[in-house]
Amino acid sequence: MTDTLPTNDKPTVPASYVHKENGAVYVHHDLWEAIKPWETEAHVGPVVADEQFGDVASWCQYTQHYAAENRLLLTWNSGGLRAVLDYHGGSAHPGRCQWTAMHVFKRAPEWDALLNLAQQSVGHKAAIEKLEDLGEYIVAPAPADLMLLLRNLRATLNATAETEIRPDGTTEVSFTQNTKVLARGVALPTIIKFLIPVLAGNAQRYEIDVRVRASVGDGAHLELRFSLVNAQRTLETVIAEQVAAARAALGDTLGSLLLRAAG
C-alpha cells in the first residue's frame, strides 16, 4: 500500500531566500537574484536631521549650501530662525520635512538677570548686590555714585495714634504712619540706564531704562522695586535686526523666502 500525503501536508518552497552573509535576495520558484549582494547596505535613505546653530551667519551658510538642490521653507518668529530643507515639492513629490536647521534666539544671561531683578520687590541689601553684579552695564547714574547712594539709603517709620472718647462711652482709635526714605539729602534716581546685551552670541549692547521705586514696610524695612520701561520694544528691535541680517546674508532670492511664522 502506497502512502499518500494529505493535500494540506504538501511540501512548499519559500517564495524568496535571503543570503545570511551578503544580504542577496532570490525570489520565485527558480530563486533568481532580485537584489545584488551588499546592495541593501549601499542604499542611502532620506535625510533625517535637526541641526542647531549658535549664530545667524552659520545658519545662513548651512541653508545656502543645501538650498540649491532642495525645495525649502524658511521661517522666523520670536523663538528663532528655522529652515526645512526637504519641504513639499507639490502633491506629486511630497517632502518628508525631516531635515531642518534652527537658530534659537537665546536670551543673554545679563538680560535674564535684569528681567529677574524686575519680577518682585527686593530688599535693600539684595538690591545692592544684584546691581553690583550688573554694574559694568550701568551708564547713568555713574555706577560708583549709584552704589554709594544706595548704601546710604535710610528708611524711617513714624506711627501715631489718636484716641477719641464718644459721648456714649465708646472709644475710636485712629493710626497714622509717616514713612520716609532718606539718602543724606540726595534724591534717589527714578531711572537707571543700562547698556546691556540682549541675545546670546550677539555682542552688541542696547539701552534699556529701569524705573526705581522705594517703599518702607513694617518695621522700617526698606524695599526697592524695579520695572523695565522699554523691555519688549527693545527685544523686538533686536530680533528684527537679526532677521534683517539673515535676509541680507541669504541674498535676494532666498532672503525673500524668509517668512514670519506664528509665535
Side-chain angles (χ1 to χ4, degrees):
M1 180 177 181
T2 303
D3 294 334
T4 58
L5 294 175
T7 55
N8 58 351
D9 290 337
K10 290 183 178 180
T12 57
V13 178
S16 64
Y17 168 75
V18 181
H19 195 283
K20 294 182 179 179
E21 294 184 3
N22 60 28
V25 178
Y26 302 86
V27 299
H28 208 35
H29 65 282
D30 291 330
L31 293 182
W32 56 276
E33 189 177 60
I35 300 177
K36 299 293 183 181
W38 316 115
E39 186 174 352
T40 302
E41 285 75 4
H43 174 69
V44 178
V47 176
V48 178
D50 182 14
E51 307 296 345
Q52 303 287 327
F53 296 93
D55 57 39
V56 173
S58 299
W59 180 83
C60 291
Q61 291 174 9
Y62 183 86
T63 301
Q64 284 178 312
H65 181 75
Y66 291 103
E69 56 191 61
N70 296 284
R71 188 175 183 89
L72 71 163
L73 172 68
L74 304 179
T75 58
W76 71 273
N77 59 15
S78 60
L81 302 166
R82 184 170 184 264
V84 180
L85 295 167
D86 58 343
Y87 196 64
H88 305 311
S91 58
H93 304 283
R96 289 163 55 87
C97 296
Q98 293 187 5
W99 182 7
T100 62
M102 184 78 183
H103 167 59
V104 177
F105 293 146
K106 186 178 180 181
R107 310 301 188 254
E110 299 85 356
W111 180 259
D112 283 339
L114 196 59
L115 292 178
N116 183 60
L117 179 65
Q119 287 179 352
Q120 57 188 351
S121 297
V122 185
H124 188 196
K125 180 181 177 181
I128 293 175
E129 293 174 349
K130 290 179 180 294
L131 289 176
E132 282 179 337
D133 293 339
L134 296 168
E136 64 177 293
Y137 305 105
I138 298 175
V139 293
D145 295 340
L146 178 62
M147 292 302 108
L148 180 61
L149 185 150
L150 290 176
R151 285 191 174 88
N152 290 331
L153 286 179
R154 296 292 181 270
T156 62
L157 184 149
N158 295 320
T160 60
E162 295 182 358
T163 303
E164 178 185 355
I165 300 178
R166 300 190 181 95
D168 59 1
T170 58
T171 303
E172 178 182 357
V173 181
S174 59
F175 291 91
T176 59
Q177 286 186 343
N178 182 21
T179 60
K180 292 182 180 180
V181 178
L182 305 175
R184 294 185 180 179
V186 180
L188 181 67
T190 57
I191 294 291
I192 301 176
K193 288 188 176 293
F194 286 79
L195 202 60
I196 195 167
V198 175
L199 295 180
N202 182 8
Q204 185 174 350
R205 298 184 180 187
Y206 297 83
E207 185 174 291
I208 182 78
D209 292 340
V210 178
R211 191 178 303 279
V212 186
R213 295 181 176 90
S215 61
V216 181
D218 295 338
H221 294 301
L222 176 62
E223 292 186 348
L224 297 174
R225 302 190 309 278
F226 301 90
S227 61
L228 279 59
V229 178
N230 51 340
Q232 185 61 33
R233 185 170 67 251
T234 300
L235 183 60
E236 291 174 354
T237 299
V238 177
I239 292 177
E241 291 177 359
Q242 296 292 291
V243 174
R247 283 202 171 101
L250 290 172
D252 294 339
T253 302
L254 292 181
S256 63
L257 300 178
L258 185 56
L259 306 176
R260 172 67 189 266

